[in-house]
Amino acid sequence: MKYYLTTPIYYVNAAPHIGTAYSTFVADLVKRFKKMEGFHPVVLTTGSDEHSRNVERAAKAANLSPQDYTAKMSAEFKNQWKHLGIDYDHFIRTSDPQHQETVRDLFERCRRNGYIYKGAYTGQYCVNDELYVNEAQPGDPCPECGRPTETVTEENYFFKLSAFQDRLLELYEKDPEFLKPDHRRNEIKSFVAQGLNDLSITRTNIPWGIPVPVEGHHVFYVWFDALISYMTAVKAEHLWPADLHLIGKDILRFHAVYWPAFLMAADLPLPKKVFAHGWILFEENKMSKSRGNVLHPGPIADVVGIDALRYFLLREVTFGQDGSFAYDALVQRYNADLANGLGNLASRTLTMINQYRDGRIPDSAGAGHIADAAKETTEQALEAFDAFNFSKGLEVIWGLISIIDKFIVERAPWQLAKDQESHSQKLLDETLYTAAEALRIVCAWVYPVMPESARKIWSQLGMPQPIESITVADLHWGRLAAGQKVGTVSGVFPRLDSKAIEKMLELEAAERERLAALFAPATAAPAAPAPGESAKISIDDFAKVDLRVGQVVSAERVKGADKLLHLKVDIGEAEPRTLVAGIAEAYPPEQLLGRKVVIVANLQPRKLRGIESNGMIVAASVEGGKPVLAGFLEDIPIGARLK
RNA sequence: GCCGGUGUAGCUCAGGUGGUUAGAGCGACGGUCUCAUAAUCCGUAGGUCGCAGGUUCGAGUCCUGCCGCCGGCACCA
């Protein structure tokens, strides 16, 4: 039976980081595990999502054509995955020519079934997130990224998403396996239950995209073209539907709502499962470009090894929930679990076989209670891995390592070796066989998570069969052949010292420089404004903004809104200005009383929650962080203008 | 504001349908063996099980209220 799984098709506006690597590591693990379980073929698709106005602009900023820019970016992804040992089968680029055909086919199918219509859209659009902001006013910032939205008016094709509300709800209800983890399914259920709006799926005036059939000047909306790449990749092999889409929680809605609706509309089979994992935080904080705390997998892998990074992420983070990466936690877990645990067990077991049995696996059935423990371990680990609960599975497997270590101490083979009595020698045989056989089983279990390290231990055990071909049958006790010659013993996980962290920090800094250089605008080119950056303005432009010093005279929360404060600010006019500011989460109202703040005095009035806001309070903010108000160190009279 | 989740030893977390002294791993401390990567193994850790009530012979385990944290939606920057 085949098994087809996918990673997200990664958006090419940033180089791969530890978050994208995480998704991809898990996909690689699942692929190897499913192979062990006997699925055939097991096929993994990854790729790059390359269309959109934003990509087009980024390309322009780098003084490259979209083709060249995306080629460079997708090559970077491919290089990273190669460097990280990812065993993927297909790398699909949404700009691949064969992909156009699939997209058009999907569109035609939907249209033939009556789920596409032409309509006009006027509204706010965020270039950065490819997002239409339905209820936004002109000039409003994007709810996702905070960048200003742009007003667009387009005649577009719409997808009748609203027609699928019931069928989607029925899907979630009838097939709980479709969407995991459970709490994500509940979120999506309540989202869909609130009602769905039709979706504009084409764009005009963007040359960089897949042209809509017949309509030369339309291209497809990036999500309409991206999701279907999962099908393009395996069209020739007829592997659709996918058995698993691994995604991050940030793109859940596209995969759990839009995607199945598109497929329903086209009369195509639905994927079997969508699993949304959480984010990898850096020491409890969200990683983001603007915070400058994005970590990359290469520098970490170069110091501790790819496998150790994989192990850490999978063991430390409960799959499906957010998890935290920290250098010291990585080093600690490496030393405790890999060096002292698995590495040391392999080392002591193989060394004893060399010393006491001349490097040959002794003839014995092994100790029964350890065989039982191994069987129990396998059962529990299988259950955990099948449920995508990798941290639990690894915990169970490490439990067996602990049992063997204890068993070795109880039997004290170094004592038995001194006694030439046949009883002792037989017990020594049994002890060594037991340890080696249990190690073999642990090693087989470790393979999907840490392929290279498992391969090393496997070969040190002298196993004739390549580890890539093992199956669940190899997890049974007694498959280790007596008389087999073990290989040369060498440490698989050398202990790390504190210098490892310094080294990783150094390499991370170097990696950031490399990536910055790679994606920097070409030096000779005139610097076009990139998204998030600002174009230069003249002093006259600046003079248009009336910034004033004001003093807060009253502040209260706006009922029914978490983030809004209703403020009255004295800026030296007859009456204090009334304004509404989204700073309630950062500043309790009483803390603001009497505070001097900076106000944009000539902003167009706007009603928020029924209160007319006449101006704006100036605050600095970072993505995902709370706003911080601008203020003055010296005293300054109310009403003073900033210029 | 609405909906959902969650709050247990320094850290990460287990603790179906309520029942003797609340557990594991890691870290820390003490001890031990010597095959092994100063590893292993053994022992110790006295934690108001968020707070306050309630049901019950008996509650981390059920109910109510409150507080904190997280997520989704709304709202918003």
Side-chain angles (χ1 to χ4, degrees):
Chain A
M1 197 155 59
K2 65 94 185 173
Y3 194 92
Y4 174 44
L5 74 158
T6 68
T7 74
I9 305 296
Y10 299 111
Y11 196 35
V12 292
N13 73 340
H17 48 80
I18 210 162
T20 43
Y22 178 56
S23 303
T24 311
F25 282 147
V26 172
D28 183 82
L29 152 63
V30 172
K31 175 178 174 180
R32 293 171 198 269
F33 175 64
K34 289 296 167 185
K35 269 189 169 171
M36 283 175 69
E37 285 196 304
F39 289 90
H40 182 80
V42 182
V43 175
L44 169 59
T45 288
T46 186
S48 51
D49 178 11
E50 306 186 358
H51 292 306
S52 81
R53 192 177 298 189
N54 196 35
V55 169
E56 194 189 336
R57 288 184 185 181
K60 206 170 177 187
N63 199 29
L64 291 171
S65 67
Q67 287 80 358
D68 289 347
Y69 177 79
T70 54
K72 199 169 158 185
M73 285 304 244
S74 63
E76 174 66 20
F77 273 85
K78 283 184 189 171
N79 286 340
Q80 286 281 339
W81 300 151
K82 188 177 174 189
H83 184 66
L84 294 172
I86 303 298
D87 182 24
Y88 64 82
D89 298 279
H90 301 294
F91 189 103
I92 187 87
R93 297 179 55 189
T94 57
S95 61
D96 285 339
Q98 75 266 27
H99 181 54
Q100 300 205 357
E101 208 179 302
T102 331
V103 175
R104 287 178 181 162
D105 185 52
L106 175 69
F107 178 73
E108 285 303 340
R109 281 170 161 272
C110 292
R111 178 152 74 173
R112 211 179 304 138
N113 291 334
Y115 294 111
I116 303 282
Y117 64 92
K118 215 170 179 180
Y121 172 88
T122 301
Q124 298 309 113
Y125 177 71
C126 174
V127 171
N128 186 63
D129 294 316
E130 302 295 328
L131 191 72
Y132 283 79
V133 189
N134 285 322
E135 276 133 51
Q137 309 275 325
D140 277 0
C142 168
E144 291 299 319
C145 67
R147 294 179 175 85
T149 53
E150 299 177 9
T151 304
V152 293
T153 301
E154 294 184 349
E155 185 179 58
N156 280 324
Y157 287 96
F158 282 74
F159 175 78
K160 261 192 211 172
L161 186 63
S162 56
F164 292 91
Q165 180 173 359
D166 293 342
R167 288 175 69 183
L168 287 168
L169 289 172
E170 191 187 336
L171 168 67
Y172 310 139
E173 201 61 47
K174 284 200 173 161
D175 183 9
E177 287 302 308
F178 173 75
L179 185 49
K180 286 278 177 177
D182 294 341
H183 68 275
R184 296 289 164 208
R185 183 173 57 250
N186 292 337
E187 283 172 17
I188 288 293
K189 267 160 94 170
S190 67
F191 172 77
V192 172
Q194 284 174 32
L196 296 169
N197 294 321
D198 289 349
L199 211 58
S200 163
I201 55 162
T202 64
R203 299 289 177 268
T204 51
N205 306 322
I206 309 178
W208 182 236
I210 296 183
V212 174
V214 188
E215 301 273 357
H217 62 297
H218 282 82
V219 300
F220 285 107
Y221 171 50
V222 62
W223 275 106
F224 192 82
D225 108 52
L227 291 161
I228 191 77
S229 66
Y230 298 137
M231 278 179 83
T232 307
V234 293
K235 209 172 180 181
E237 297 148 279
H238 304 290
L239 289 174
W240 190 259
D243 294 273
L244 173 67
H245 290 315
L246 284 167
I247 60 166
K249 63 181 183 182
D250 47 326
I251 51 175
L252 178 61
R253 190 185 299 174
F254 300 102
H255 286 79
V257 182
Y258 301 171
W259 181 222
F262 293 161
L263 292 168
M264 286 172 179
D267 275 328
L268 290 166
L270 269 41
K272 300 282 197 298
K273 188 193 286 287
V274 174
F275 199 116
H277 67 246
W279 283 332
I280 302 298
L281 311 174
F282 178 51
E283 292 171 348
E284 316 289 306
N285 295 309
K286 188 176 163 185
M287 289 189 215
S288 71
K289 260 189 184 174
S290 55
R291 287 179 187 222
N293 64 350
V294 177
L295 257 36
H296 300 90
I300 299 166
D302 288 346
V303 175
V304 302
I306 299 163
D307 284 355
L309 175 58
R310 287 169 65 117
Y311 176 79
F312 177 83
L313 293 173
L314 289 156
R315 174 64 185 84
E316 188 88 358
V317 180
T318 301
F319 193 60
Q321 296 181 347
D322 286 355
S324 200
F325 177 90
Y327 288 112
D328 54 349
L330 169 70
V331 169
Q332 189 182 308
R333 209 167 253 297
Y334 178 103
N335 282 335
D337 293 2
L338 300 181
N340 298 354
L342 178 57
N344 183 242
L345 175 65
S347 172
R348 69 193 306 203
T349 301
L350 295 165
T351 300
M352 284 191 286
I353 289 170
N354 272 327
Q355 282 182 19
Y356 306 141
R357 288 295 177 262
D358 202 25
R360 301 253 169 218
I361 303 290
D363 191 3
S364 165
H369 68 290
I370 302 296
D372 292 345
K375 189 178 172 214
E376 175 83 359
T377 297
T378 288
E379 283 167 4
Q380 289 180 12
L382 267 177
E383 192 183 330
F385 273 47
D386 271 326
F388 298 90
N389 193 347
F390 306 112
S391 55
K392 173 70 178 174
L394 287 169
E395 191 183 330
V396 165
I397 293 158
W398 256 254
L400 181 58
I401 291 176
S402 173
I403 286 168
I404 310 163
D405 269 332
K406 186 177 294 192
F407 169 76
I408 290 172
V409 168
E410 280 166 6
R411 286 290 179 91
W414 46 93
Q415 300 288 0
L416 295 171
K418 290 176 188 160
D419 183 1
Q420 291 309 311
E421 291 296 320
S422 74
H423 172 73
S424 294
Q425 288 302 311
K426 225 176 156 183
L427 208 54
L428 178 57
D429 282 346
E430 185 183 84
T431 304
L432 295 178
Y433 184 88
T434 302
E437 172 60 344
L439 174 64
R440 185 190 64 84
I441 290 169
V442 166
C443 180
W445 263 118
V446 161
Y447 166 71
V449 180
M450 296 190 281
E452 284 313 309
S453 306
R455 198 192 316 278
K456 283 185 198 162
I457 295 171
W458 196 250
S459 100
Q460 289 184 30
L461 269 165
M463 300 303 297
Q465 165 202 18
I467 197 162
E468 292 79 10
S469 66
I470 56 171
T471 68
V472 284
D474 291 301
L475 299 167
H476 290 143
W477 189 265
R479 293 217 154 197
L480 181 61
Q484 178 170 303
K485 186 92 171 75
V486 305
T488 310
V489 182
S490 74
V492 182
F493 300 109
R495 277 185 76 82
L496 299 176
D497 58 28
S498 55
K499 285 189 180 150
I501 294 179
E502 292 167 33
K503 187 75 188 158
M504 283 186 276
L505 288 168
E506 262 173 46
L507 291 179
E508 176 63 38
E511 175 72 351
R512 284 180 194 177
E513 274 180 37
R514 181 185 76 84
L515 292 170
L518 186 60
F519 298 111
T523 43
E533 289 174 18
S534 314
K536 300 269 187 291
I537 61 167
S538 72
I539 185 80
D540 297 332
D541 288 332
F542 174 70
K544 290 177 191 165
V545 183
D546 184 7
L547 293 171
R548 305 269 194 91
V549 176
Q551 186 169 32
V552 179
V553 295
S554 78
E556 56 189 68
R557 292 182 187 279
V558 176
K559 56 185 178 300
D562 292 345
K563 302 188 182 181
L564 296 182
L565 288 184
H566 180 181
L567 304 172
K568 286 197 197 304
V569 181
D570 181 358
I571 57 170
E573 297 173 333
E575 291 290 321
R577 286 284 185 107
T578 293
L579 49 99
V580 179
I583 55 172
E585 290 184 328
Y587 295 94
E590 57 278 7
Q591 195 183 314
L592 290 171
L593 289 176
R595 179 159 174 164
K596 295 248 173 86
V597 293
V598 177
I599 298 299
V600 181
N602 61 340
L603 198 71
Q604 235 172 31
R606 192 184 156 199
K607 264 197 173 181
L608 295 169
R609 284 261 151 187
I611 303 163
E612 189 171 87
S613 182
N614 291 290
M616 188 175 100
I617 195 158
V618 176
S621 62
V622 293
E623 198 178 320
K626 289 182 176 174
V628 175
L629 290 175
F632 299 93
L633 295 175
E634 287 87 18
D635 197 34
I636 179 84
I638 289 163
R641 181 145 189 211
L642 279 76
K643 49 190 176 183

